[in-house]
Amino acid sequence: MTNLATLLMEAAARFPRRPAVRLRETVLTYADLDELSAHVAGGLSAHGVHLGDRVGTMVPYAPAFPVLYFGALRIGAIVLPMYPRTPSAAAKPRRGARARGARLVFTSHDTAEAADEEMNDTTVVPVGPGFLAQLGFWPQAHDVVDRADDDPAIQVPAGGPADGCDGLALSHGALREHAAVAARRTMEQTSGPGAAEFPCTGQSHGLNAVILAGACLAVDEAGTTTRASHGLPGCPTAATALTE
């Protein structure tokens, strides 16, 4: 099975109690990430999201993002990173979700109302401070939909995640290959898998590679909304980080 979501499932089976994502005091283990992503998958299915549908993620690169990312992949949906270029731009969501046919969009709680008005033909789900806890009430979908190597996993707009234009489709197979290369580099810098935390440094240590290596993704809250240089997966480069 090529579906990238299997990276998380395999890692959770091998070391369930190992930290996977850390933001200050918030820590998600691999078991947590696997379970929460299954809730997202079940919730998306309940909202009518099906195989090949597009799911937008207009949220900061924080603990909720990996949960949403792997949850959408589990059911065979295509992830659309939709970060605003600056924090102030978040109050004015673009029409990109509608233009690119998103079936559902997750958006930060403080911009949900504006997003709902802007994308009136797309289901908008607000992601607030208590979102991860609320996921426990969502149905779960533990199974992972099989995807072929060339099936798209992510749709990256031509001008970056803040652009509303269609761009590059990144396949499950290509992303898995890129993650394997980056994971080897990650493990070479430690005494073994999971031996260290890695900051969000974009192409060097992207989300897929960190999960494949069994390491911990240390999220810098300040970098999730304002810093985009040096490959940091902030607003315009988040999708680039996912290619590794």
Side-chain angles (χ1 to χ4, degrees), residues 8 18-22 27-31 33 210-211 215-218:
L8 173 58
R18 181 175 293 175
V21 181
R22 184 189 303 275
V27 178
L28 297 181
T29 66
Y30 277 87
L33 189 54
V210 169
I211 296 300
C216 178
L217 187 67

Side-chain angles (χ1 to χ4, degrees), residues 4 54-55 57 65 69 73 77-81 151-157 167-172 175 207-208 238-244:
L4 276 172
R54 300 179 180 188
V55 175
T57 54
F65 182 87
Y69 172 69
L73 293 180
I78 301 170
V79 179
L80 297 175
D151 284 331
I154 303 173
Q155 184 78 32
V156 182
L168 178 66
L170 305 175
S171 70
H172 286 266
L175 289 170
L207 174 59
N208 294 326
T240 302
L242 295 173
T243 66
E244 292 288 351

Side-chain angles (χ1 to χ4, degrees), residues 7-9 11-13 15-23 26-37 61-67 70 186 193-200 205-219:
L7 296 180
L8 173 58
M9 294 182 64
F15 22 75
R17 297 182 180 179
R18 181 175 293 175
V21 181
R22 184 189 303 275
L23 171 60
T26 301
V27 178
L28 297 181
T29 66
Y30 277 87
D32 293 334
L33 189 54
D34 183 47
E35 180 179 2
L36 290 172
S37 70
Y61 199 80
F65 182 87
V67 173
F70 284 110
T186 298
E197 293 185 356
F198 288 90
C200 296
H205 308 295
L207 174 59
N208 294 326
V210 169
I211 296 300
L212 184 59
C216 178
L217 187 67
V219 181

Side-chain angles (χ1 to χ4, degrees), residues 129-225:
F131 178 75
L132 294 182
Q134 296 168 5
L135 285 179
F137 297 98
W138 290 25
Q140 280 188 304
H142 287 285
D143 294 337
V144 174
V145 174
D146 194 11
R147 301 301 279 154
D149 283 347
D150 57 354
D151 284 331
I154 303 173
Q155 184 78 32
V156 182
D163 200 316
C165 302
D166 281 331
L168 178 66
L170 305 175
S171 70
H172 286 266
L175 289 170
R176 181 181 284 269
E177 291 180 4
H178 295 162
V181 173
R184 285 195 294 271
R185 295 200 301 265
T186 298
M187 294 176 66
E188 288 172 357
Q189 300 177 47
T190 70
S191 59
E197 293 185 356
F198 288 90
C200 296
T201 50
Q203 296 181 15
S204 297
H205 308 295
L207 174 59
N208 294 326
V210 169
I211 296 300
L212 184 59
C216 178
L217 187 67
V219 181
D220 178 3
E221 188 173 39
T224 62
T225 56

